[in-house]
Amino acid sequence: MYLSMFIWQVATLSPQVGIKFSIPTQFNPKSRPPRRMAYRSSICRKRRLLKIFGSQLKSWEIEQTHMRFLDSFKRTPTLRLKALRESPGLTQEIIDNPQKSIGPIEKGFDAFEEMRHRFLSFKKDKYLENLEHYQTLARGQAPKFMVIACADSRVCPSSILGFQPGEAFVVRNVANLVPPHENGPTETNAALEFAVNSLEVENILVVGHSCCGGIHALMSMQDEMSSSSSFIKSWVVVGKAARLRTIAAVSDLNLDQQCRHCEKESINRSLLNLLTYPWIEDRVEKGMLSLHGGYYDFADCTFEKWTLDCKGCRPKVAGEYSIKNREFWS
């Protein structure tokens, strides 16, 4: 391909410089000169052409070099990925040492390979074994529970509490907080609205946990930092009431002990915040919806569960509440 383009270029340029150029119509293999003579002859021809065409021929050679590089670029995904990420100097390094870029990519693929095996195991052992159930879920969902849990990777409510697909509508955020109605729209109360008004769940369970980083950030805040530019601090300030009650109750304890107290207190403040939503309060008063709290301690794998006694609550007056049906699972 490159030879034909070279001949075409020379044939095109030859009339411009006053030389005669012809292409033989037939090629006789027997008339081919010896390899060494052909090589020397090729070098001589190239030198003569350089003298005749000068920079035009050099530009054409550069263009051909670019074309060969682009062709290699398209055939080599590793090179293409590196070229997008790194500077030209580092790209040349990858050309010289292609193995250097393999490590991180292979490591990433290993993680997804494990994920692929997990998915195929799920499909074989659960989906296909319960095909009728999953086909029913494909037509719609009717969960009895909505679960509000922390985004912490160690606290997966489906794993801890054994929820199966279709049993719980789950939303997770930092520190499992529920903002009050007057705070305006967030993804949490959007999920609440759908779960209560559309899915008509019968239970809302707020699950907190030990060693919560969000609660630690809340307890470490100063009052003047409540309007911080940090996204985390701007979010956890939703639990400010729990922080104030914790300080009032256990100010003599160290920070870790205060955090543990606040982890449970913030669950109850979130349960009270749920009652600030008119459509939740209405269903609770009618006995169609129950509000529950749960606390998972992953240090010793215990779970504490309780239910908010809404008849004994006066959140609009003084934030008072009472709980019932308390259980401890160990």
Side-chain angles (χ1 to χ4, degrees), residues 35-95:
R35 181 174 300 178
R36 181 175 297 177
M37 294 179 61
Y39 176 75
R40 290 177 179 176
S41 177
S42 174
I43 293 176
C44 292
R45 283 197 301 271
K46 186 173 182 180
R47 287 175 179 173
R48 287 197 299 270
L49 288 171
L50 283 173
K51 289 181 181 179
I52 296 172
F53 299 115
S55 60
Q56 295 183 20
L57 183 58
K58 289 182 179 179
S59 299
W60 176 82
E61 287 182 330
I62 293 172
E63 181 180 356
Q64 298 310 306
T65 301
H66 287 173
M67 292 179 65
R68 288 194 294 272
F69 175 76
L70 289 174
D71 185 61
S72 174
F73 188 85
K74 291 177 182 179
R75 293 195 307 266
T76 313
T78 299
L79 176 60
R80 183 164 64 249
L81 178 64
K82 193 69 177 180
L84 292 173
R85 291 180 176 174
E86 306 292 357
S87 65
L90 291 178
T91 302
Q92 182 62 43
E93 181 181 351
I94 296 303
I95 297 173

Side-chain angles (χ1 to χ4, degrees), residues 216-281:
H216 189 277
L218 173 65
M219 291 303 300
S220 302
M221 287 174 56
Q222 302 296 326
D223 291 337
E224 60 269 19
M225 294 174 64
S226 59
S227 58
S228 170
S229 60
S230 165
F231 290 129
I232 295 175
K233 292 176 180 177
S234 296
W235 168 251
V236 298
V237 75
V238 169
K240 187 176 181 179
R243 174 179 175 272
L244 295 175
R245 288 179 68 92
T246 296
I247 293 174
V250 293
S251 59
D252 57 322
L253 301 179
N254 61 39
L255 180 60
D256 288 340
Q257 292 171 323
Q258 290 182 19
C259 287
R260 187 173 181 86
H261 185 279
C262 190
E263 286 163 356
K264 296 183 179 181
E265 182 64 35
S266 67
I267 297 171
N268 290 324
R269 307 319 300 182
S270 288
L271 294 177
L272 291 178
N273 285 344
L274 287 171
L275 293 174
T276 65
Y277 294 85
W279 26 273
I280 291 180
E281 184 181 31

Side-chain angles (χ1 to χ4, degrees), residues 136-176:
T136 300
L137 289 178
R139 294 190 290 270
Q141 58 176 324
K144 302 296 183 182
F145 276 87
M146 177 181 183
V147 178
I148 301 171
C150 185
D152 194 302
S153 63
R154 301 166 292 182
V155 187
C156 178
S158 295
S159 296
I160 297 166
L161 301 174
F163 287 115
Q164 299 303 308
E167 292 183 349
F169 187 79
V170 181
V171 62
R172 300 176 69 175
N173 62 46
V174 173
N176 46 271

Side-chain angles (χ1 to χ4, degrees), residues 89-237:
L90 291 178
T91 302
Q92 182 62 43
E93 181 181 351
I94 296 303
I95 297 173
D96 299 335
N97 302 284
Q99 296 298 323
K100 287 188 177 182
S101 66
I102 294 178
I105 296 178
E106 287 185 346
K107 184 177 180 180
F109 278 119
D110 287 343
F112 280 99
E113 183 67 14
E114 174 65 22
M115 193 180 298
R116 184 179 75 90
H117 284 300
R118 292 179 185 178
F119 169 75
L120 294 177
S121 295
F122 159 77
K123 183 175 182 179
K124 176 184 176 183
D125 301 333
K126 294 186 178 181
Y127 182 87
L128 294 178
E129 291 294 326
N130 302 277
L131 185 58
E132 184 177 351
H133 172 65
Y134 282 97
Q135 288 178 339
T136 300
L137 289 178
R139 294 190 290 270
Q141 58 176 324
K144 302 296 183 182
F145 276 87
M146 177 181 183
V147 178
I148 301 171
C150 185
D152 194 302
S153 63
R154 301 166 292 182
V155 187
C156 178
S158 295
S159 296
I160 297 166
L161 301 174
F163 287 115
Q164 299 303 308
E167 292 183 349
F169 187 79
V170 181
V171 62
R172 300 176 69 175
N173 62 46
V174 173
N176 46 271
L177 297 172
V178 176
H181 183 270
E182 60 266 21
N183 278 28
T186 65
E187 77 288 347
T188 300
N189 47 34
L192 276 169
E193 182 178 8
F194 180 73
V196 174
N197 293 337
S198 299
L199 298 178
E200 298 183 345
V201 295
E202 299 175 3
N203 302 277
I204 298 178
L205 173 63
V206 179
V207 180
H209 67 95
S210 59
C211 306
C212 181
I215 295 299
H216 189 277
L218 173 65
M219 291 303 300
S220 302
M221 287 174 56
Q222 302 296 326
D223 291 337
E224 60 269 19
M225 294 174 64
S226 59
S227 58
S228 170
S229 60
S230 165
F231 290 129
I232 295 175
K233 292 176 180 177
S234 296
W235 168 251
V236 298
V237 75

